[in-house]
Amino acid sequence: MTDFAPPLAGSDQDETRELRPKFDSAGLIAAIAQDAITGEVLMLAWMTEEALRLTLESKRATYWSRSRGGLWVKGETSGHTQEVVEIRVDCDQDAVLLKVRQTGGACHTGRKSCFYRIAGDSGLTLAGEPEAG
């Protein structure tokens, strides 16, 4: 496996047809998982170059766990897998969007989405209960 080519300068990066991800100073890129059918945003996680490469090759969402300091294949222990249907990259290639087929809840709390808190004038309310199972 070879490394990704480095990002280009300015608008050249915006228009290139080459995958040239722009990882941050910690070697990470933001990855948003979205339900491929409903469009619901399920979670945000981080990827290293290796995680992105493995996701491209295997079509199984693979992330970098900052808390564990290692690669994490979504669902490897929980069974709540993410089959990657499509990968989109934003304009300057510093974020990726994974359109996935989610099995079980995407959130470690058991909820369908990690975005279950609604912020309002009086604080936070919760939407959605953890799934049974």
Side-chain angles (χ1 to χ4, degrees):
M1 284 190 254
T2 60
D3 293 337
F4 292 109
L8 298 168
S11 64
D12 289 341
Q13 178 74 357
D14 298 341
E15 300 303 327
T16 185
R17 292 178 185 261
E18 295 176 80
L19 181 55
R20 292 174 170 259
K22 194 183 298 182
F23 297 94
D24 68 13
S25 60
L28 301 173
I29 192 169
I32 301 160
Q34 178 184 43
D35 187 290
I37 296 167
T38 67
E40 182 176 9
V41 174
L42 302 174
M43 59 182 273
L44 172 110
W46 299 95
M47 291 181 154
T48 58
E49 188 170 325
E50 182 179 11
L52 179 55
R53 186 176 295 107
L54 288 170
T55 300
L56 285 162
E57 292 171 358
S58 69
K59 301 299 185 216
R60 291 193 61 200
T62 304
Y63 302 106
W64 177 260
S65 172
R66 295 183 301 172
S67 60
R68 290 178 257 173
L71 290 174
W72 150 53
V73 179
K74 181 68 173 158
E76 200 167 51
T77 56
S78 69
H80 297 182
T81 60
Q82 290 178 343
E83 176 192 349
V84 178
V85 175
E86 181 178 73
I87 300 175
R88 293 196 176 204
V89 183
D90 77 337
C91 54
D92 59 355
Q93 299 197 44
D94 65 357
V96 296
L97 173 67
L98 307 178
K99 293 190 176 202
V100 302
R101 286 192 193 98
Q102 177 71 46
T103 302
C107 185
H108 74 279
T109 65
R111 289 175 173 85
K112 181 178 178 181
S113 169
C114 293
F115 294 93
Y116 58 88
R117 291 184 180 100
I118 302 169
D121 292 342
S122 59
L124 295 174
T125 57
L126 303 181
E129 295 295 321
E131 295 180 12

